[in-house]
Amino acid sequence: MTPQTYIPIIAVGFAVIMILLRNRAPRTLRPQYLWVMPVVITVAMGFAIWGTSMSPGANHTPFTPLDWLVLAVGLTLGGAAGWWRGKMTTIEKHPDGVLKAQASPIGLILIIGLMAGRRALSAWLEPHAAALGLNSLAVADAFLVFVVGMIVMQRVEMFIRARRVQAGGTDGHVEATA
């Protein structure tokens, strides 16, 4: 195996261990700051998309309606995955009004599965995009907008639930501790 093969595997393994250790205990949830990560990720992915389109040898043909559909599918599937992952997060309201959130291990399994699926699909789809009538740049960008959709919708779902609980409402996904 070459370093280009095993370094990403080691990095992902290290990240998974760190995430599992970090998610063992509930963390304070501040709904007023849930917008920060989606903005950072959206800007970063916007720069990534812009950077790939400006790289030497990039395909500069305009996107066709089918290419835009591929981007919309990526964003929609990412949004659905994010909404589901947000629902898997347990939110507890403590007597002092502080919200605590704990990510579900199932959510982490979802992320690992999506990363593996993305890697396998992109390895096959990007070289065969032209044969399918797609722009290879649109296919690569669809994987980036998938991540944006997932993070944005996860935070939106958690924000809606957190605000409902803070206002004294009930929510079937929230555990209230007395």
Side-chain angles (χ1 to χ4, degrees), residues 54-107:
M54 293 297 142
S55 65
N59 184 357
H60 292 287
T61 59
F63 284 177
T64 65
L66 185 59
D67 296 329
W68 286 107
L69 179 65
V70 167
L71 291 172
V73 166
L75 186 65
T76 303
L77 290 175
W83 192 265
W84 185 70
R85 185 168 184 241
K87 282 188 172 291
M88 300 300 290
T89 301
T90 302
I91 299 175
E92 300 174 349
K93 183 176 181 185
H94 290 263
D96 59 358
V98 174
L99 295 178
K100 297 283 187 173
Q102 184 172 11
S104 168
I106 294 173

Side-chain angles (χ1 to χ4, degrees), residues 102-115:
Q102 184 172 11
S104 168
I106 294 173
L108 182 62
I109 292 168
L110 170 71
I111 293 296
I112 293 169
L114 289 173
M115 286 174 54

Side-chain angles (χ1 to χ4, degrees), residues 4-19:
Q4 291 84 3
T5 305
Y6 67 79
I7 289 177
I9 294 170
I10 292 170
V12 168
F14 180 74
V16 167
I17 291 169
M18 294 305 295
I19 291 170

Side-chain angles (χ1 to χ4, degrees), residues 138-149:
V139 172
D141 291 350
F143 290 113
L144 295 177
V145 298
F146 178 90
V147 172
V148 170

